[in-house]
Amino acid sequence: MMGSSGISRREILKWGAVVPALGTGWHGAFAAAPQGLDAMLVDTRFPGALDVAEVPVPVLRFAGDVTNLWYDELDARWRRKGFVLGGITGADASFVLETLANHQGRRVVSRMALDLPRVNDVQAVRWIIAPHHPSVSA
């Protein structure tokens, strides 16, 4: 239950770790944000993404198609409060995730194109998706 201010202590701690990282480059964001991330998605189509995914949170891997990941992991997690997700994926997969996240009260709070080789003309992107409404906050 949230206090009278509408923001819980856990939410303040989580955003205290995530927000400063949003202004840094992609290395800095994931180096500084693991305390605020609940999990990270890595699109294995981009070999360089695996190199930067060394973070102390669960890493969920997939290869381009997020359908199974959505049904098996993300839908249930996004139906509960909280759950900040970071990722290094193709722009195609991030578009799908952004759309699904919006339907669950979340939005992209950081997004940056990465300097990784394109795969089938798909750009790699780094992003963070977080709750944007108090009813889905930590």
Side-chain angles (χ1 to χ4, degrees), residues 63-83:
D65 183 357
V66 295
T67 305
N68 290 337
L69 192 59
W70 170 252
Y71 285 114
D72 296 343
E73 299 281 340
L74 298 178
D75 182 47
R77 291 181 187 194
W78 280 351
R79 290 180 185 270
R80 297 187 300 255
K81 290 185 178 187
F83 198 74

Side-chain angles (χ1 to χ4, degrees), residues 54-129:
E54 298 301 321
V55 294
V57 296
V59 176
L60 307 169
R61 291 175 170 83
F62 70 101
D65 183 357
V66 295
T67 305
N68 290 337
L69 192 59
W70 170 252
Y71 285 114
D72 296 343
E73 299 281 340
L74 298 178
D75 182 47
R77 291 181 187 194
W78 280 351
R79 290 180 185 270
R80 297 187 300 255
K81 290 185 178 187
F83 198 74
V84 177
L85 183 65
I88 298 174
T89 68
D92 53 352
S94 75
F95 174 78
V96 171
L97 290 165
E98 289 174 36
T99 303
L100 295 170
N102 190 48
H103 292 278
Q104 295 292 344
R106 282 137 176 81
R107 67 181 176 94
V108 174
V109 296
S110 173
R111 186 175 199 275
M112 177 185 291
L114 299 178
D115 189 23
L116 294 174
R118 288 178 177 256
V119 175
N120 295 327
D121 206 34
V122 175
Q123 175 72 48
V125 294
R126 185 270 308 151
W127 48 264
I128 296 174
I129 294 175

Side-chain angles (χ1 to χ4, degrees), residues 29-41:
F30 289 125
Q35 295 173 19
L37 293 178
D38 293 303
M40 185 167 166
L41 264 56

